Amino acid sequence: MLGNLKQQPEDKILALMQMYRDDPRDNKIDLGVGVYRDASGATPVMQAIKDAEQKLWQQETSKSYTALAGDAGFLDAMIGLVLGDAVPRAQVAAAASVGGTGALHQAFELIKMANPGATIWLSAPTWPNHPAIIRHVGLPMGEYRYFDEASRGVDFAGMMADLEKVAAGDVVVLHGCCHNPTGANLTAPEWAAVADLLERKGATPLIDIAYQGFGDGLDDDAAATRALAARLPETLIAASCSKNFGIYRERTGLVMAVSADPSSTGLTQVNLATLNRLNYSFPPDHGARLVTMVLTDPTLKAQWMAELETVRNGMLALRQQLADALRERSGSDRFGFLAQHRGMFSRLGATPEQVAELRETHGIYMIGDSRMNIAGLNAQTVPILADAIIAAGI
């Protein structure tokens, strides 16, 4: 039986990570892996999380299961963080998940249960795991233009033209903030136009919000998600706690389904709980418990928010430093988009050959489509990267 299995395609990011580890050069720079790193190259544990863990160690009396959908306190805290007061709590069904990826998987499973003929529309480009999960679940896919290679911004006209093909009942996957892999985001008026189109077409948004707090701040980063949830009859949301709480390995996420009618919430909640039962039964609780403690304790929350702002402002400073360094070296503003992008990633606009040259000649590792992780830089490596980009003719 097992001999009938097929070889699976290699994950390009994991392959790049191995290439980096095998590279003996001391001056190599890793801009590939999508994990936040501080100036020393470490992915630190936030002090607010450490303090919450210490309290949890002192207070926890049981490791028994919570509930199929996860602890109610976690659901409420995360719904508050993502949606604020945009919609009444009674209209939101939710379930804790195994990270943001688990939240997306559960959302796609829910779509298949509700409307197996729905086409899932993805931005071009998007996070590679989006189409991989959709294919695995067995839903049809469509694609809409998103990134303009010339300006390194959003091809909004192309996006809207392609979304005109969306049919009633289809689902459009949108990045709530800090678009991965491009770093290019919609403006508030553009988000409003997308909402108009989805409402007119009778389509449902599935918002992947994995980087809330990494772009323009917690509330600003959630503004588009809140606006769509308040405006449209139904909205699906997949949220991750990996990045903004720094708890990657705890695998903490949440899937939310907003209904126009609170009477539909109960049925959706039952189905989300059933999906948890079928996929992994009870979701992990340790990370969820820490997030709940941080969001509900005023002292811990203030501490966490300050730490998150330090992370966000640090990435913005690196973006500006790199844009300035490239302006000096190129004598032009063609790299100004780097300062305008938000989140950990930017798509540089280099060819695969130029990306290979950066890796082979300069020891700079980034994804083949030229997605680079800004958080992989520090003040000392920015000039090195700038020199290499110019030397590679980008």
Side-chain angles (χ1 to χ4, degrees):
M1 177 183 71
L2 298 180
N4 295 325
L5 292 172
K6 297 180 180 179
Q7 184 63 43
Q8 297 299 307
E10 184 179 48
D11 187 294
K12 294 179 181 179
I13 296 177
L14 297 180
L16 190 71
M17 290 169 62
Q18 187 60 50
M19 290 173 64
Y20 177 81
R21 285 192 290 266
D22 293 341
D23 190 331
R25 288 175 286 188
D26 293 331
N27 61 345
K28 59 186 178 181
I29 301 174
D30 180 10
L31 305 180
V33 63
V35 174
Y36 171 76
R37 289 174 177 166
D38 62 17
S40 70
T43 302
V45 181
M46 288 183 168
Q47 189 59 48
I49 292 294
K50 281 185 170 290
D51 291 348
E53 282 188 308
Q54 186 173 29
K55 287 187 176 183
L56 181 61
W57 179 78
Q58 294 170 337
Q59 298 171 2
E60 192 171 43
T61 59
S62 174
K63 291 289 188 182
S64 183
Y65 298 124
T66 55
L68 280 177
D71 181 71
F74 172 67
L75 306 185
D76 289 342
M78 281 298 294
I79 290 169
L81 179 68
V82 175
L83 288 173
D85 59 359
V87 295
R89 175 66 179 87
Q91 292 175 219
V92 187
S97 62
V98 183
T101 303
L104 286 163
H105 191 280
Q106 302 298 67
F108 292 131
E109 291 267 24
L110 187 71
I111 293 165
K112 188 171 184 179
M113 292 171 71
N115 183 12
T119 296
I120 313 298
W121 292 81
L122 298 171
S123 67
T126 193
W127 183 48
N129 221 12
H130 283 152
I133 297 171
I134 295 167
R135 281 193 294 268
H136 179 70
V137 171
L139 286 165
M141 279 187 290
E143 191 175 68
Y144 60 89
R145 283 169 284 178
Y146 186 83
F147 190 63
D148 178 30
E149 295 286 353
S151 69
R152 274 72 152 186
V154 176
D155 178 6
F156 188 65
M159 175 182 180
M160 295 298 283
D162 289 345
L163 289 180
E164 283 293 336
K165 306 170 189 173
V166 170
D170 284 353
V171 175
V172 178
V173 177
L174 299 161
H175 298 229
C177 63
C178 306
H179 186 273
N180 179 8
T182 71
N185 295 322
L186 298 173
T187 65
E190 288 170 343
W191 275 112
V194 170
D196 289 340
L197 185 147
L198 294 175
E199 185 176 43
R200 173 167 53 84
K201 289 287 185 176
T204 299
L206 167 52
I207 303 169
D208 183 355
I209 183 162
Y211 300 95
Q212 185 182 357
F214 268 34
D216 293 309
L218 284 167
D219 288 330
D220 285 347
D221 288 350
T225 300
R226 294 172 183 177
L228 265 65
R231 168 83 177 273
L232 300 171
E234 294 181 343
T235 302
L236 300 175
I237 304 163
S240 171
C241 300
S242 294
K243 288 81 177 176
N244 51 9
F245 288 90
I247 53 173
Y248 294 86
R249 68 178 63 172
E250 302 297 351
R251 310 311 301 132
T252 305
L254 186 75
V255 57
M256 290 166 268
V258 182
S259 302
D261 185 353
S263 64
S264 302
T265 305
L267 180 61
T268 307
Q269 186 66 56
V270 167
N271 279 269
L272 286 175
T274 297
L275 284 171
N276 270 14
R277 180 63 169 168
L278 294 174
N279 281 294
Y280 39 74
S281 200
F282 295 85
D285 183 68
H286 184 74
R289 188 73 51 176
L290 299 176
V291 168
T292 306
M293 293 173 71
V294 168
L295 291 178
T296 57
D297 181 301
T299 301
L300 289 177
K301 185 174 183 179
Q303 184 179 21
W304 166 69
M305 291 175 68
E307 291 181 88
L308 185 57
E309 275 294 282
T310 298
V311 168
R312 184 180 75 86
N313 288 324
M315 287 189 290
L316 290 177
L318 286 170
R319 287 185 173 283
Q320 190 64 58
Q321 183 187 355
L322 181 57
D324 290 344
L326 285 166
R327 183 182 298 109
E328 292 174 5
R329 287 158 174 78
S330 68
S332 74
D333 287 325
R334 70 177 187 272
F335 295 101
F337 65 89
L338 291 166
Q340 301 303 315
H341 287 175
R342 289 293 182 268
M344 290 202 302
F345 305 116
S346 274
R347 190 156 163 175
L348 190 58
T351 65
E353 292 76 20
Q354 289 169 328
V355 171
E357 181 179 345
L358 288 173
R359 181 178 67 250
E360 294 164 6
T361 304
H362 305 280
I364 295 170
Y365 286 74
M366 63 180 65
I367 306 301
D369 64 1
S370 76
R371 186 201 82 168
M372 60 179 181
N373 180 8
I374 295 295
L377 293 167
N378 59 43
Q380 287 68 49
T381 57
V382 164
I384 298 172
L385 175 61
D387 287 339
I389 288 173
I390 298 303
I394 299 172

